[in-house]
Amino acid sequence: MGKEEEDAWVVMKTARAPSNIAVIKYWGKRDEKLILPINSSISVTLDPEHLSATTTVAASPAFERDRLWLNGKEVSVEGERYRNCLREMRARATDVVIESSGKVITKEVWSTLHIHIASENNFPTAAGLASSAAGFACLVYSLAQLMNVKEKYEGELTAIARLGSGSACRSLYGGFVKWNMGQEADGKDSIATQLAEQSHWEDLVIIIAVVSSRQKETSSTSGMQESVKTSPLLKYRAEEMVPKRIGQMEKAIKSMDFAEFARITCADSNQFHATCLDTSPPIFYLNDSSRRLIGLVERWNRHAGEPQVAYTFDAGPNAVMFAKNKEVAVQLLKRLLYQFPPSAEADLSRYVLGDQSVLKSAGVTSLEDIDSLSAPAEFAGVINLPRIPGEIDYLICTSAGKGASVLDGQIASLLDPATGLLVKNE
Amino acid sequence: MGKEEEDAWVVMKTARAPSNIAVIKYWGKRDEKLILPINSSISVTLDPEHLSATTTVAASPAFERDRLWLNGKEVSVEGERYRNCLREMRARATDVVIESSGKVITKEVWSTLHIHIASENNFPTAAGLASSAAGFACLVYSLAQLMNVKEKYEGELTAIARLGSGSACRSLYGGFVKWNMGQEADGKDSIATQLAEQSHWEDLVIIIAVVSSRQKETSSTSGMQESVKTSPLLKYRAEEMVPKRIGQMEKAIKSMDFAEFARITCADSNQFHATCLDTSPPIFYLNDSSRRLIGLVERWNRHAGEPQVAYTFDAGPNAVMFAKNKEVAVQLLKRLLYQFPPSAEADLSRYVLGDQSVLKSAGVTSLEDIDSLSAPAEFAGVINLPRIPGEIDYLICTSAGKGASVLDGQIASLLDPATGLLVKNE
């Protein structure tokens, strides 16, 4: 009985961490195990309201092994990336007092406790929207809360998140974040730092176009391995181009220079995809729909005489677009709805997700409103511009957002506080 | 009457010049006017039976101005490129004896005579198969015959063809041709030289897939201007990559090393398109169909353990594929017909053009035969592989071929020997 009672306690924490989108791209590792990149990168943290992972971590002497549930399904936690994150966090655990009993979980106890993890995204995992970045950032952040881990140096947690997924290190902070490639062999200095809070540049609006794709894509892990091995242009890019662009981008963000921000963002996205094409065999992430999205933005920017919108594409066909301000975002959304109408059977509320205020300002409340949108001025004279309903799966209106944070209360918890097992949602 | 009789003579020559396909790409000029490239290039001359221009040039004291008919339609000859070629050829004209009268056209007379030119391709101009290369090579070659121009140094004619269209310089010779970028400011040393006759490597079979494209493409002239101006990767490619590849390719051709030839050909095509993507705004010549063609070849090569086929794409979506030998070409054609069947209303004889022996060896004599082709081994387990009838417009089976040559007899003549005006074909 005494033993049973002693084993009955479960401690848990729930946190949320955002996804992020790189504006100076990370592509290529110099160390596969420690996930050390061949160049620094810069990202914008996406509003966790729309794109984030929520993770509950729990510990109990009753747990017999580490367990992991992703989006409601139990999966193996034996992967090296999970093991590395758990090992590093356990090694940094400090005393935690159990509220109910006043008992203390010491560092020594932590090293014996098994962990249950449940994580889910508030956006489709398969959409290619950096779910692993949000997921690993959230795992490390929630474990830090659970185990009372204090950073010995600023960014220590980001270096641990990096062991899970390179770009995860950028998801701990909000706003504008830089991942310094670092120099050390152990990766200690390959950490993320915040360049600016999201409130620094509040005008920016982000619209994501999730492209319908039937094509199986090369995973970014194997893709970047192949590029490092075979693309001479990637080596040149990492060594000669990126260092310059990092400096220019930091400056553009600091001074909120949208034209410069747009110029570098688009050029760097295109250059990253150029190095994919320079890989043997070549890797294609952009498809004809991506190309039409780029065309829409480039045409408009040229017509306007200065950049209104910037685009960037990760390892997939989806476009992440930055509009200069809310007014431009409304115009962008109208253009997107004009050229990429939803399919006839679509539901508008499932076609435009996220922040509904952009759609509202566009005056679009029904599919009929989309049908009656008129062609933007710069479309005049453009031939062979297909408007294929359903070419895009859906749009997400969002903005830069805050970093990882604790979710208070039991409501958000993904694990049962009594058993530490997955809460089944009906 | 005396004057009229004197004016009545017309001299004319007809020649044919092939198209060519670069295996080390030309992209970017260091001199726009003289068409001097930023790197050397290497091409394979295509069999003029299947891909060539035929040009008749005529001179007569009765002609009142220079005139030009392209594919049966009169167009302006005032363009700088035509003017440059005509000027350089006139400057090199020597004495020509008129057979019928024994009269001599002296260099001085040549400088006063107007020229009529009629040219047509034996393949669709709009298909993006280097029609301007064949056309300008043919213009210069036929004028050299007409005006009895002798080269003062080897390759002098190629330098004049280059003034019409850069890659035209490579179309004067057969087989395997190198365009040396040259160093001189006047372009005198920016000439083509033959690396090997077509008979040197007779095993090679070429299959061209002409991709249906509704997309308007950036012209190569303006495309390469934009790339030179904005792509840092192009500069690196031209300066650091191409010189190495030129040497490797020369060696591969000399030793008929197909694996090496295929490796460099594919890598260089992809790198050229990578620099297009690195251009601001980005240029896309490859579309989703091009990408599927690349996938077909790469999948097969990987499955076979060594390259069977190489692919290369110019400034458009069409694939030019080199099969290791005839047997492989038959397998390639079967694979192409399997994955890219003609549309239901197609005519097989219009779907597979050129050398019919490959189709014959494949045992395909009807659309039903295509329907009953079985999936190649390496297609097993590949998901989401669309087989869209009509995705490809047509295929051309051909091989490396000879250079420019004179066409004897009146039959081929495109101008009326009496009037020097276009012969109308009904």
Side-chain angles (χ1 to χ4, degrees):
Chain A
M1 278 300 274
K3 173 84 172 95
E4 247 171 53
E5 222 162 80
E6 202 154 273
D7 287 2
W9 57 267
V10 174
V11 285
M12 51 196 277
K13 286 282 180 185
T14 298
R16 190 170 72 168
S19 189
N20 73 75
I21 177 73
V23 288
I24 301 288
K25 298 295 186 189
Y26 151 53
W27 195 250
K29 303 184 182 78
R30 63 179 201 276
D31 186 312
E32 291 287 335
K33 228 184 168 85
L34 294 175
I35 310 192
L36 300 176
I38 60 171
N39 60 253
S40 299
S41 54
I42 291 178
S43 61
V44 179
T45 301
L46 298 169
D47 186 346
E49 280 298 318
H50 308 129
L51 293 129
S52 60
T54 296
T55 302
T56 300
V57 287
S60 167
F63 295 171
E64 289 171 358
R65 55 189 170 92
D66 294 336
R67 294 179 74 178
L68 169 65
W69 292 265
L70 284 186
N71 295 308
K73 270 180 70 173
E74 182 157 15
V75 296
S76 167
V77 72
E78 292 309 311
E80 194 186 13
R81 291 167 169 227
Y82 283 105
R83 300 259 53 106
N84 287 347
C85 288
L86 283 169
R87 184 194 64 239
E88 294 302 318
M89 293 306 289
R90 278 192 178 106
R92 287 167 177 78
T94 66
D95 290 0
V96 170
V97 179
I98 304 174
E99 263 179 56
S100 55
S101 62
K103 261 182 73 141
V104 177
I105 313 174
T106 62
K107 188 178 173 65
E108 290 65 41
V109 175
W110 278 119
S111 69
T112 68
L113 289 175
H114 292 291
I115 305 287
H116 284 187
I117 307 158
S119 187
E120 60 184 34
N121 305 318
N122 62 354
F123 59 95
T125 308
L129 296 169
S131 54
S132 71
F136 276 105
C138 206
L139 172 65
V140 167
Y141 188 82
S142 56
L143 286 173
Q145 303 304 315
L146 182 72
M147 299 175 170
N148 195 27
V149 173
K150 303 288 177 219
E151 290 189 327
K152 281 190 199 70
Y153 60 95
E154 212 185 312
E156 189 178 14
L157 286 183
T158 73
I160 300 172
R162 194 200 70 228
L163 297 173
S165 172
S167 53
C169 72
R170 298 185 312 234
S171 269
L172 285 158
Y173 301 133
F176 302 83
V177 181
K178 175 179 169 183
W179 175 11
N180 285 289
M181 65 178 286
Q183 308 291 337
E184 306 287 341
D186 64 0
K188 214 176 184 175
D189 59 346
S190 189
I191 57 169
T193 54
Q194 189 179 50
L195 296 175
E197 292 276 359
Q198 66 273 22
S199 57
H200 163 69
W201 197 351
E202 280 199 309
D203 272 357
L204 283 187
V205 177
I206 298 171
I207 300 184
I208 302 171
V210 176
V211 168
S212 316
S213 169
R214 308 283 151 256
Q215 205 102 15
K216 197 193 168 302
E217 282 145 28
T218 310
S219 83
S220 59
T221 300
S222 70
M224 63 177 81
Q225 277 175 5
E226 291 302 312
S227 293
V228 168
K229 252 192 281 177
T230 66
S231 169
L233 298 187
L234 176 62
K235 192 174 145 64
Y236 178 73
R237 160 183 164 70
E239 289 172 5
E240 303 295 328
M241 298 296 307
V242 175
K244 274 181 239 166
R245 285 184 174 169
I246 288 277
Q248 293 167 338
M249 182 57 93
E250 286 192 55
K251 219 176 122 194
I253 290 170
K254 201 158 285 176
S255 59
M256 292 175 282
D257 180 344
F258 186 79
E260 184 70 354
F261 174 82
R263 184 188 69 75
I264 310 168
T265 296
C266 298
D268 202 70
S269 172
N270 292 326
Q271 185 166 88
F272 149 53
H273 291 281
T275 66
C276 291
L277 189 42
D278 189 50
T279 301
S280 297
I283 303 166
F284 296 89
Y285 289 119
L286 304 180
N287 65 18
D288 285 353
S289 304
S290 317
R291 181 178 158 170
R292 282 190 274 274
L293 282 158
I294 289 175
L296 181 148
V297 173
E298 293 283 3
R299 215 158 41 235
W300 184 17
N301 285 347
R302 195 171 50 240
H303 185 261
E306 60 176 325
Q308 305 297 305
V309 173
Y311 56 81
T312 187
F313 295 74
D314 269 355
N318 303 332
V320 177
M321 289 163 282
F322 295 89
K324 201 174 168 179
N325 54 45
K326 178 77 175 276
E327 202 181 320
V328 168
V330 170
Q331 295 305 316
L332 172 60
L333 182 59
K334 280 174 147 178
R335 281 168 165 82
L336 290 168
L337 292 173
Y338 174 79
Q339 196 184 335
F340 301 95
S343 52
E345 65 275 18
D347 182 344
L348 185 58
S349 69
R350 290 186 177 193
Y351 194 63
V352 182
L353 310 178
D355 175 5
Q356 297 299 301
S357 73
V358 186
L359 187 64
K360 207 170 161 187
S361 300
V364 173
T365 59
S366 68
L367 294 186
E368 290 70 43
D369 289 343
I370 295 176
D371 287 341
S372 58
L373 285 171
S374 52
E378 77 274 10
F379 279 58
V382 180
I383 52 165
N384 296 327
L385 206 65
R387 295 174 60 201
I388 308 160
E391 183 172 2
I392 281 179
D393 262 354
Y394 52 90
L395 300 162
I396 307 172
C397 297
T398 185
S399 59
K402 65 175 187 174
S405 62
V406 175
L407 292 192
D408 287 326
Q410 301 290 346
I411 299 159
S413 181
L414 304 177
L415 295 172
D416 185 307
T419 64
L421 294 173
L422 189 72
V423 176
K424 298 277 183 192
N425 291 317
E426 281 315 291
Chain B
M1 278 299 274
K3 172 84 173 97
E4 245 171 53
E5 222 163 78
E6 201 155 272
D7 288 3
W9 59 267
V10 174
V11 286
M12 51 196 277
K13 285 283 181 185
T14 299
R16 192 172 70 169
S19 188
N20 73 75
I21 178 74
V23 289
I24 300 290
K25 299 295 187 191
Y26 152 52
W27 195 250
K29 302 183 182 77
R30 62 179 200 274
D31 185 312
E32 291 286 334
K33 227 185 171 85
L34 295 174
I35 311 193
L36 300 176
I38 59 172
N39 60 252
S40 299
S41 54
I42 291 178
S43 61
V44 179
T45 301
L46 298 170
D47 187 346
E49 280 299 318
H50 308 129
L51 292 131
S52 59
T54 296
T55 302
T56 300
V57 287
S60 166
F63 295 172
E64 289 171 358
R65 55 189 170 91
D66 295 336
R67 294 179 73 179
L68 169 64
W69 291 268
L70 284 186
N71 295 307
K73 271 182 69 173
E74 182 157 15
V75 297
S76 166
V77 72
E78 292 309 312
E80 194 185 14
R81 290 166 170 229
Y82 284 105
R83 299 260 52 107
N84 287 348
C85 288
L86 283 169
R87 184 192 64 238
E88 294 301 318
M89 293 307 289
R90 278 193 177 105
R92 286 166 178 79
T94 66
D95 291 359
V96 171
V97 180
I98 304 174
E99 263 179 56
S100 54
S101 62
K103 260 183 72 142
V104 177
I105 313 175
T106 62
K107 188 178 173 64
E108 288 67 40
V109 175
W110 279 119
S111 71
T112 67
L113 290 174
H114 291 292
I115 305 288
H116 283 187
I117 307 159
S119 188
E120 59 184 34
N121 306 318
N122 62 354
F123 60 94
T125 309
L129 296 169
S131 53
S132 71
F136 277 105
C138 206
L139 173 65
V140 167
Y141 189 82
S142 55
L143 286 173
Q145 303 303 315
L146 182 73
M147 299 176 170
N148 195 28
V149 174
K150 303 289 179 219
E151 290 189 327
K152 284 191 198 70
Y153 60 97
E154 213 186 310
E156 189 179 12
L157 287 183
T158 72
I160 300 172
R162 194 202 69 227
L163 298 173
S165 172
S167 53
C169 72
R170 297 185 312 232
S171 268
L172 286 159
Y173 302 134
F176 302 83
V177 182
K178 176 179 168 183
W179 174 11
N180 285 289
M181 64 177 287
Q183 307 291 336
E184 306 288 339
D186 65 359
K188 215 178 182 175
D189 60 345
S190 189
I191 58 171
T193 55
Q194 190 181 51
L195 295 175
E197 292 275 358
Q198 66 273 21
S199 58
H200 162 70
W201 196 352
E202 281 198 307
D203 272 357
L204 282 187
V205 177
I206 298 171
I207 300 184
I208 302 172
V210 176
V211 168
S212 317
S213 169
R214 310 280 152 261
Q215 204 101 17
K216 198 191 168 303
E217 281 146 27
T218 310
S219 82
S220 59
T221 300
S222 70
M224 63 177 82
Q225 277 174 5
E226 292 303 311
S227 293
V228 168
K229 250 191 284 175
T230 64
S231 168
L233 298 186
L234 176 61
K235 192 174 146 63
Y236 177 73
R237 159 184 166 69
E239 290 172 4
E240 304 294 329
M241 298 296 307
V242 175
K244 276 182 236 165
R245 284 183 175 170
I246 288 276
Q248 293 168 339
M249 182 57 90
E250 287 194 55
K251 219 176 124 195
I253 289 170
K254 201 158 284 175
S255 59
M256 293 176 280
D257 180 345
F258 185 79
E260 183 70 353
F261 174 82
R263 184 188 68 75
I264 308 168
T265 296
C266 298
D268 202 69
S269 172
N270 291 328
Q271 186 167 88
F272 149 51
H273 290 282
T275 66
C276 291
L277 190 42
D278 189 50
T279 301
S280 298
I283 302 167
F284 295 90
Y285 290 119
L286 305 179
N287 64 18
D288 284 354
S289 303
S290 316
R291 180 176 158 172
R292 281 190 275 273
L293 282 158
I294 290 174
L296 182 148
V297 174
E298 293 284 3
R299 214 158 42 234
W300 185 16
N301 285 347
R302 194 171 50 239
H303 185 259
E306 59 176 326
Q308 304 297 305
V309 173
Y311 56 80
T312 187
F313 295 74
D314 270 355
N318 303 331
V320 177
M321 289 163 281
F322 296 89
K324 201 174 168 180
N325 54 44
K326 178 77 175 276
E327 202 181 317
V328 168
V330 170
Q331 295 305 315
L332 172 60
L333 182 59
K334 280 174 147 178
R335 280 168 165 82
L336 289 168
L337 292 173
Y338 174 79
Q339 197 184 336
F340 300 96
S343 53
E345 65 274 17
D347 182 344
L348 184 58
S349 70
R350 291 187 176 191
Y351 195 64
V352 182
L353 310 178
D355 175 7
Q356 296 298 301
S357 73
V358 185
L359 188 63
K360 207 170 161 189
S361 299
V364 173
T365 60
S366 68
L367 294 187
E368 289 70 41
D369 289 344
I370 295 176
D371 286 342
S372 58
L373 285 170
S374 52
E378 77 273 11
F379 280 58
V382 180
I383 51 163
N384 296 327
L385 207 62
R387 296 173 61 202
I388 308 160
E391 183 172 3
I392 281 179
D393 262 355
Y394 51 91
L395 300 162
I396 307 173
C397 296
T398 185
S399 59
K402 64 173 187 174
S405 63
V406 175
L407 293 191
D408 289 325
Q410 301 291 348
I411 301 159
S413 181
L414 303 177
L415 295 173
D416 185 307
T419 63
L421 293 172
L422 189 72
V423 176
K424 297 277 183 196
N425 291 315
E426 282 313 293

